[in-house]
Amino acid sequence: MIPANGPLPLDAPSPGSSFTDLLDSMGALPRWNIPPGENAPSAPEGTTVLALRYQGGVVMAGDRRATEGHLVAHRRIRKVFPADRYSAVAIAGTAGLAIDMVRLFQVELEHYEKIEGVRLSLEGKASFLARLVRNQLPMAIQGLVVVPMFAGYSEADQTGRLFSFDVVGGRYEEIDFGSTGSGSRLAKSYLRTVYRDDLSADEAADLAVRALVSASQEDTATGGPDLRRGIYPNVLRIDEDGLVELPDDVVGPLAEGAVETIR
Amino acid sequence: MTIPFYVAPEQLVRDKAEFARKGIARGRSILALEYADGVVLIAENPSSALHKISEVYDRIAFAGVGKYNEFETLRKAGIRQADLMGYLYSRDDVTAMSLATQFAQTMGVIFTRDPKPFEVELLLAEISSDGAEHRLFRVTYDGTLFEERNFVAIGGKSEQLEEALEDLWSADMDLDSALEAGKQAFQQAEGRDSEGWEIAVLDSTNGRRAFRRISTETSPAAGKEPAQPESESPE
């Protein structure tokens, strides 16, 4: 099933532009076959990620902690990824499965773009991600849950849009903000009190970092900024000019400001 | 039951080659030339929807002349292969060299096995991550693979184009002068004005995905896509 060094197969699985279907046709996608009642192994879990819309775009952010039970598994894990030039995906839940899902999603979007000559619509990308989540359902029932968030700039609507998902692959568009992971309720409670429709990009990034800091105060699985080690949240901003990751020298002061004012 | 006539293999190969060459000669040519930051690919193409040049992988571009459906089939097979290799191993493990040999094998098999050979000629260009080293490959209808230096042309007028470029091309040209040299080579080879250009570059200053189309109505800088974010991979 791994490509050999021979003539290229000229036939593609229908519809022909999906990389995931290509993998599936080769038997290279994982096929879950866990007997019922077996206990899933314990694996590191990613915690709080969030996204919020502002005037002309969307900001997505995530803390850096992964936990395994009550222990800190990773201090500087990345949970917010660029999906392509105009969209990003964030993950919560079993980190190993989620990161693999992101990798497949990234290749899928680029593959489609190269084969078809155009990018998928933002909604098309969200639908595809929902399908990937649904494929994980057997694992979710075993307790290895992956719940992503998806945000991007819609070239058709000329606005930022964001989608949250549930464990069975349900897809829900949010009009203002969304969050998933263990600290998501705390983050959403914070955002609910401060969110405005006319936020600027800088204000949105500031609120995103503050919401994460706020969540980290009560949820032990959410990592606050580690000022001594210089570990700050990952913050991505997407607008009509594409996707930018805010560098540490921008996020650092935001995180310090949030830590200083929090009660 | 009819017994097929015996045809000598020499005759068969000659006939197929002549057939393929005729088909290719009907199409318009494409050339690729190196410049300071990468490789520019220039095709004469009146259509703005049907592309002859396209992106295969981060630093690899593809161009085909001849029958559209045939090189399109090969292009898609190449993209599938590149994405598979990059996904199963690493993005660094996808090379133009390996793709070019696979295109050559594919076309070689089709040439000998199928009653009708592919009437196409392919070009693969690759730049290294610092843009200092370029590779240009040409695959002909019978699966012969050539590695070229500095510039390469495919299609009916390829010999005339390469002849013209001998004088026009020089090392370390900037993009504008490389484009000018390429367009002038077409002018000399065809002896007429172009009916429309399709232009793309592999530019090492473009980020991870080096491929970029250049709008022909405006300056080379216009219509620039945002760079692919660097922190692309989850690792």
Side-chain angles (χ1 to χ4, degrees), chain A residues 2-6 8 10 12 23 26 81-82 85-86 99 103 106 110-111 113-115 119 241 245, chain B residues 56-57 75 77 80-81 83-84 87 89 91 102-103 105-106 110 208-209 225-226 228-229 231-232 234:
Chain A
I2 297 213
N5 235 354
L8 296 166
L10 297 181
L23 278 184
M26 299 165 56
F81 303 97
R85 290 181 166 112
Y86 287 101
I99 287 171
R103 201 162 96 87
Q106 290 171 332
E110 189 182 316
H111 188 76
E113 186 185 333
K114 288 190 291 197
I115 294 273
R119 265 186 292 275
D241 296 326
E245 168 140 25
Chain B
V56 175
Y57 212 63
R75 179 186 79 92
R80 283 197 293 272
Q81 179 69 8
D83 277 342
L84 271 174
Y87 177 79
Y89 304 117
R91 298 201 81 89
Q102 282 187 293
F103 278 129
Q105 275 176 296
T106 311
I110 287 169
R208 178 173 72 76
R209 285 170 76 179
E225 290 245 312
Q228 188 77 15
S231 58
E232 176 72 7

Side-chain angles (χ1 to χ4, degrees), chain A residues 32 34 40-47 67 79 90-101 132-148 165-170 180-182:
Chain A
W32 314 116
I34 304 170
S42 117
E45 300 210 8
T47 46
T67 57
K79 294 182 270 186
I91 48 158
T94 309
L97 295 177
I99 287 171
D100 211 49
M101 183 193 285
L132 290 183
V133 176
R134 190 166 299 130
N135 287 349
Q136 299 272 356
L137 190 57
M139 295 305 273
I141 291 168
Q142 299 288 332
L144 298 177
V145 175
V146 176
V147 183
F165 299 82
D166 65 21
V167 64
V168 296
T180 179
S182 63

Side-chain angles (χ1 to χ4, degrees), chain B residues 199-218:
Chain B
I199 300 169
V201 289
L202 285 174
D203 191 318
S204 58
T205 62
N206 245 0
R208 178 173 72 76
R209 285 170 76 179
F211 185 86
R212 170 162 65 94
R213 294 192 183 282
I214 291 182
S215 157
T216 44
E217 281 94 51
T218 47

Side-chain angles (χ1 to χ4, degrees), chain B residues 72-92:
Chain B
E72 183 68 1
T73 302
L74 290 166
R75 179 186 79 92
K76 286 180 175 166
I79 292 173
R80 283 197 293 272
Q81 179 69 8
D83 277 342
L84 271 174
M85 294 286 278
Y87 177 79
L88 294 174
Y89 304 117
S90 144
R91 298 201 81 89
D92 300 333

